[in-house]
Amino acid sequence: MEQTVAFWIAAGAATFFVGMSKGGLPMVAMMGVPILSIFIAPAAAAGLLLPMYILADVYAVWLFRGHYSARNLKILIPAAAIGIFVAFLLISRVPVEATKLVVALIGLGYLADALRKRLAGDFAACPADVPRGLFWGALAGFTSYISHAGGPPFQAYTLPQKMPKMTFAGTATITFACINWMKLPPYILAGQVTWDSLQQIAVLAPLALIGAWSGYRVTRWLPERAFFLLVNVALGLLCLKLLVEVGQAWWP
């Protein structure tokens, strides 16, 4: 890989955004792979960023050590492990575009239902129940492994619970930290994480940590209502981005 100045600028920006997403701002996570994909293949970009996610995860888990829903973690993490295992077995048989389409429809379906409830004046919170948690958690692990798009299923399950913003952000951070660690061995076997990428990570690592700290500070500063508005807007944009990618793949 030719390591030009432009590549390092893009890699630095992508790494910083990855860190910010781990600091509690999931809305910026979608920017990492597209930025790097200008210079390298998307699969290679995803492989380069995964160790950055894991590095930022370690710091972010410490930042959110007192803000999380233990019940959700007990449900979602084992469910995600099941989803990752199924995805590992089926990766060669499941079209990535089909997975992206399902994820986009899930996210848009949640947003449409949330809008319907708001217009109807239904502001009741849903509990963290095991059946729904197992389904959405497994789907988050599955889609995260195949197309790095575990956010919409996770949010479809957790946002209706109306947790405080710091609890929501901490639960998301810890859940996806576990998912990323579980994804690492298969990614190494697939050759997406290599010795060369690890050497690049050593250079970019400080930006991931700075990004995580910055994201945490912004999350604490944002008003509750503005935070969740941004989460919902980002979810909608991510779903539209996935639909565009599916359209470009199926109807070039």
Side-chain angles (χ1 to χ4, degrees):
M1 180 191 304
E2 184 181 356
Q3 297 175 355
T4 64
V5 173
F7 165 79
W8 283 110
I9 293 174
T15 301
F16 181 76
F17 289 136
V18 163
M20 287 197 75
S21 73
K22 292 302 176 180
L25 297 174
M27 60 285 296
V28 300
M30 70 181 78
M31 301 172 67
V33 171
I35 290 174
L36 270 182
S37 296
I38 298 173
F39 299 92
I40 58 179
L48 175 61
L49 288 178
L50 179 60
M52 287 300 181
Y53 274 108
I54 291 174
L55 175 64
D57 283 333
V58 174
Y59 181 43
V61 167
W62 180 81
L63 287 173
F64 285 101
R65 60 194 181 279
H67 306 281
Y68 58 87
S69 166
R71 176 168 173 77
N72 274 300
L73 294 179
K74 291 176 182 178
I75 297 171
L76 289 169
I77 293 173
I82 296 172
I84 291 171
F85 180 70
V86 172
F88 176 71
L89 295 178
L90 300 180
I91 184 67
S92 61
R93 303 178 185 179
V94 179
V96 173
E97 287 74 23
T99 303
K100 290 181 178 180
L101 178 61
V102 170
V103 170
L105 293 177
I106 287 171
L108 293 175
Y110 159 74
L111 291 174
D113 184 61
L115 179 61
R116 178 190 64 79
K117 290 180 178 179
R118 176 170 291 275
L119 293 176
D122 182 4
F123 300 104
C126 297
D129 60 287
V130 173
R132 290 177 60 253
L134 289 176
F135 172 77
W136 290 113
L139 191 58
F142 184 91
T143 56
S144 179
Y145 182 88
I146 291 181
S147 60
H148 304 282
F154 172 85
Q155 292 173 9
Y157 171 66
T158 55
L159 284 175
Q161 298 177 32
K162 302 187 184 302
M163 292 182 279
K165 67 173 181 179
M166 296 301 289
T167 303
F168 169 82
T171 302
T173 295
I174 296 172
T175 299
F176 282 101
C178 294
I179 288 176
N180 288 332
W181 275 105
M182 289 186 283
K183 286 161 54 177
L184 183 59
Y187 269 56
I188 294 175
L189 291 175
Q192 288 180 262
V193 177
T194 65
W195 178 246
D196 288 339
S197 67
L198 291 177
Q199 289 177 310
Q200 293 165 351
I201 287 162
V203 177
L204 298 169
L207 287 172
L209 300 178
I210 294 171
W213 179 84
S214 301
Y216 179 77
R217 300 302 299 180
V218 172
T219 299
R220 288 180 61 90
W221 170 78
L222 277 174
E224 193 102 357
R225 186 172 181 178
F227 174 82
F228 284 109
L229 176 62
L230 286 174
V231 169
N232 283 314
V233 169
L235 175 59
L237 292 175
L238 174 59
C239 292
L240 293 177
K241 174 179 174 293
L242 292 174
L243 289 177
V244 169
E245 291 178 0
V246 171
Q248 290 173 339
W250 285 352
W251 297 286

